[in-house]
Amino acid sequence: MLHSKPREDNYLHKGLRKQLVQVLRDKGIRDERVLAAIESIPRHFFLDPAFERIAYEDRAFPIAANQTISQPYTVAYQTQLLEIKKFDKILEIGTGSAYQACVLAELGSMVYTIERQKALYDFVGQFFFLKNYPNIKRFYGDGYEGLPSFAPFDKVIITAAAPFIPPKLVEQLKPGGIMVVPVGDDSGQKMMRLTKKPDGSVQEEVLGDFIFVPMLEGKNK
Ligand code: SAH
């Protein structure tokens, strides 16, 4: 399978990544560690070779199973909001291409990521590049349930449009933890950041506008 074969990361790709990082800076991303992670990860590996030359444009692209790899700006924005520390235990809903998971893993966190689409979960399982990240654990399941047996988490990131804040995921967040979630329907979503206080109360911030594919209930075979 194509996804299992190592691919080339040459000076051209590296140059395009530097330009992408500049675009993200110009759009307001300030966390240098996040920018360095994006600069180091060959995004073209996550896309079909047909998209290789445009892999470093700041836009979303189609991947397998009718899903998308998020726009780099969106990945950088959500990651920056999470204030990742080394060894943070992070729950991600919506593995998709695993690009966001790799950015989190590159920052030294332990990533637990769930995908509901079996075909996509299996496809990513073949991906040669993930061998570099033993700190990413992948699960096939329904993100609304989270991973109770691995909870609590320092951080939770949802990378699909949630119609409401999934209560079980708030429960699985540690006191002091942060959750980032785009909330809304297919006409658009507001990015929200929830911070769980030491007393268990939750503080909410409503941030910018985004468009994600929907967070759906249940698993898909
Ligand atoms: N983080 C991904 C973005 C993927 S798009 C990346 O970096 O490429 C959103 C993904 O969320 C899709 O793959 C979709 O199948 C998945 N998804 C939607 N609802 C879900 C749910 N309830 N549980 C787990 N994954 C879900």
Side-chain angles (χ1 to χ4, degrees):
M1 190 201 262
L2 194 60
H3 220 42
S4 61
K5 291 208 189 79
R7 280 162 68 182
E8 192 194 9
D9 184 34
N10 63 29
Y11 71 93
L12 176 65
H13 302 120
K14 289 176 180 149
L16 290 170
R17 279 209 293 287
K18 272 200 192 317
Q19 287 176 20
L20 171 62
V21 162
Q22 191 53 48
V23 168
L24 299 179
R25 256 201 197 98
D26 293 346
K27 290 185 178 177
I29 302 299
R30 289 285 168 266
D31 188 328
E32 289 300 326
R33 292 165 56 242
V34 173
L35 293 168
I38 287 176
E39 187 162 340
S40 75
I41 298 174
R43 187 172 188 249
H44 65 284
F45 288 175
F46 296 73
L47 301 172
D48 191 277
F51 294 112
E52 181 138 333
R53 291 167 71 180
I54 48 176
Y56 295 103
E57 290 178 14
D58 186 24
R59 44 175 283 206
F61 286 104
I63 53 171
N66 263 334
Q67 296 300 325
T68 57
I69 175 171
S70 300
Q71 184 179 344
Y73 174 74
T74 305
V75 171
Y77 185 84
Q78 285 194 289
T79 308
Q80 179 170 273
L81 285 174
L82 285 173
E83 298 173 7
I84 307 292
K85 294 193 210 58
K86 211 167 184 188
F87 307 124
D88 266 356
K89 200 170 143 191
I90 307 187
L91 175 63
E92 181 195 24
I93 310 304
T95 312
S97 68
Y99 180 73
Q100 171 75 71
C102 289
V103 171
L104 295 167
E106 189 64 36
L107 294 170
S109 61
M110 304 293 306
V111 184
Y112 295 74
T113 181
I114 311 179
E115 174 55 56
R116 70 177 288 281
Q117 298 236 26
K118 185 73 165 67
L120 198 48
Y121 172 82
D122 289 342
F123 179 69
V124 169
Q126 304 289 321
F127 188 18
F128 73 92
F129 187 64
L130 284 193
K131 298 195 174 57
N132 295 319
Y133 295 108
N135 49 337
I136 298 179
K137 308 269 178 259
R138 298 182 313 110
F139 300 83
Y140 164 55
D142 177 6
Y144 281 98
E145 299 299 321
L147 290 172
S149 51
F150 293 93
F153 297 93
D154 297 294
K155 311 281 160 71
V156 175
I157 173 172
I158 302 185
T159 67
F164 54 86
I165 296 167
K168 289 182 183 168
L169 302 188
V170 180
E171 271 170 35
Q172 291 173 30
L173 192 59
K174 275 185 196 170
I178 298 175
M179 172 164 158
V180 174
V181 48
V183 181
D185 56 25
D186 53 8
S187 66
Q189 303 98 45
K190 287 278 182 203
M191 192 65 73
M192 293 187 64
R193 175 160 70 173
L194 278 62
T195 307
K196 203 182 238 189
K197 299 284 160 202
D199 68 1
S201 65
V202 175
Q203 178 201 321
E204 292 184 5
E205 293 164 87
V206 181
L207 306 159
D209 293 299
F210 289 85
I211 306 260
F212 286 77
V213 297
M215 180 171 175
L216 302 172
E217 306 232 16
K219 291 193 280 192
N220 186 346
K221 285 209 195 89

